[in-house]
Amino acid sequence: MPQIAQLSATYASQIFWALIFFGFVFFVVGRGFVPKVQATVANRDKQIADDLAAAEAARRAAESEEANWAATSNKQRAEAQALIAKAKAEGTKASEARLAQAASVIDARMAEADARLATARAQALTEIETVASEAASDIVARLAGLSVEGDAARAAVKEVLHG
Amino acid sequence: MAEQGKVDPMHQFLIEPLFGTDQWTIAGHNIAFTNSALWMLISVGVLFAFVAGGAKGQTVPGRWQVMVEGLVGFIDSLLAANVGPKGKKYVPYIFSLFSFILFSNVLGLLPLGLFGIHPFTATSHFTVTGVLAILSFSIVLIVGFARHGLHFFSLFVPHGTPAWLLWLIPFIELISFLVRPFSLALRLFVAMMAGHVLLEVLSSFVISSANSGVLWGAVVGLPSFGLMIAICALEILVAGIQAYVFALLTSLYLNDAENLH
């Protein structure tokens, strides 16, 4: 077994070179590269975590933005509806007022026309009375040779006309 | 191979100095650059290239970077599970331990003998695994005494020890504690050596039986060859498992040192 047979001749060399090479591995690879690799992994994990957090924050922001937008749009829609309702009510009121005005004008005109008709009729009646009384006095004068006073004739005609 | 037609299963563990045999010494100890040192160098080089190629730090990683990050993440979660948040600072050490052992184990299994190159598994020598085990054990001791002072000795009195056993339990705990570096070093060395010896013995069956004729070749050689293929797969598994066990046990011992019981 060379491990034991050569022990006294080789132990110094074995221990020396093992220490040299393991020392190189420890100081150059272990303490040089390994922390770098660990830092890389840690950085990557941190970056991933940060990205995830940022994405989560962005999602929350988008959601709150959407909620805000929905609230604003609901409010605006309600305002618009109110505006429309008001305008409709106002329009109805205005048209009612104008209709009422127009109706009153028409009523006034009709009343005026009625009044004019009544006047015309009264005038016509008086004229007919006059004509009838003149005609009656004429007739009386011609048939009976009587001269009837104008007023008397008029009263008599009035009596006949109006019963 | 010791003789013609014979396979020496132990030959693969022979340390052969490559250069510096005579002149390289530290305090009278010879530190010749051997095939063992060469294969450690190759493991370190491959490991360095692997990790350096994956440490590009891109936010969107490529395949290579994913592999390196997976390996680091594996050690990271191993320590997080066994030591907790305090284990974070041991990631470089455990990573070095795990990957150094893993690359040494796997590179020693490469079938490069087909091209005349003989891979050497540095972790099949307890002089190498012992260095790693003593390093781990020293770190446990230093961390334990630095964090808890003499209170670290309470490790030898587990929770719920009955008072009438207080004369025995600390002694047993002390023995089991002191055995740790040996068990760490020997487990890895034995596992690596056993697998390699088994493969070598089976290959010697294949060669010897094929040399003695078609009949023996078919009866002994072919099943041995099939078994070799299966054991090769097992050895790849063992190479990973032993590296993992070494790292896992070290992190468990570090947990003792960091958190006591």
Side-chain angles (χ1 to χ4, degrees), chain A residues 1-3 6-7 11-14 16-19 21-22 24-26 28 30 33-34 37-38 40 44 47, chain B residues 10 15 26 29-32 36-37 40-41 44 48 51 57-59 69 92-93 95-96 124-125 127 189 193:
Chain A
M1 198 162 149
Q3 285 94 334
Q6 291 184 304
L7 183 61
Y11 75 95
S13 152
Q14 286 281 76
F16 175 76
W17 290 111
L19 281 175
F21 290 130
F22 184 71
F24 178 83
V25 169
F26 177 63
V28 176
F33 288 121
V34 168
V37 173
Q38 282 180 301
T40 308
R44 182 182 310 127
Q47 195 175 341
Chain B
M10 287 303 167
I15 294 174
I26 287 180
H29 297 292
N30 183 283
I31 52 154
S36 169
M40 280 193 264
L41 175 64
V44 170
F48 178 83
V51 177
Q58 287 167 344
T59 308
E69 281 174 3
Y93 177 69
F95 179 85
S96 308
S124 66
H125 276 253
T127 36
F189 138 69
M193 197 186 83

Side-chain angles (χ1 to χ4, degrees), chain B residues 193-216:
Chain B
M193 197 186 83
H196 285 67
V197 168
L198 188 56
L199 284 176
E200 204 82 359
V201 167
L202 285 172
S203 71
S204 80
F205 284 176
V206 175
I207 293 168
S208 304
S209 61
N211 282 345
S212 28
V214 177
L215 179 67
W216 286 117

Side-chain angles (χ1 to χ4, degrees), chain B residues 68-112:
Chain B
V68 174
E69 281 174 3
L71 188 59
V72 173
F74 169 67
I75 300 298
D76 208 11
S77 57
L78 174 77
L79 279 165
N82 290 309
V83 186
K86 289 178 192 162
K88 200 90 181 159
K89 56 180 172 290
Y90 302 110
V91 170
Y93 177 69
I94 302 291
F95 179 85
S96 308
L97 206 56
F98 177 77
S99 45
F100 180 68
I101 296 172
L102 180 69
F103 276 68
S104 298
N105 290 354
V106 172
L107 286 176
L109 277 174
L110 289 181
L112 296 177

Side-chain angles (χ1 to χ4, degrees), chain B residues 229-243:
Chain B
I229 293 172
I231 287 176
C232 275
L234 182 71
E235 280 307 300
I236 294 171
L237 182 70
V238 167
I241 285 178
Q242 288 302 325

Side-chain angles (χ1 to χ4, degrees), chain B residues 132-208:
Chain B
L132 301 176
I134 288 169
L135 270 178
S136 290
F137 192 66
S138 312
I139 289 173
V140 168
L141 284 182
I142 292 166
V143 168
F145 281 114
R147 287 192 68 86
H148 305 290
L150 292 180
H151 196 61
F152 185 53
F153 284 113
S154 72
L155 193 65
F156 301 135
V157 187
H159 280 301
T161 308
W164 62 274
L165 269 177
L166 273 179
W167 60 276
L168 180 62
I169 295 291
F171 180 67
I172 294 173
E173 287 286 326
L174 176 67
I175 299 288
S176 90
F177 185 77
L178 292 180
V179 156
R180 282 174 179 183
F182 299 99
S183 70
L184 269 183
L186 292 179
R187 181 184 296 110
L188 177 56
F189 138 69
V190 164
M192 293 329 295
M193 197 186 83
H196 285 67
V197 168
L198 188 56
L199 284 176
E200 204 82 359
V201 167
L202 285 172
S203 71
S204 80
F205 284 176
V206 175
I207 293 168
S208 304

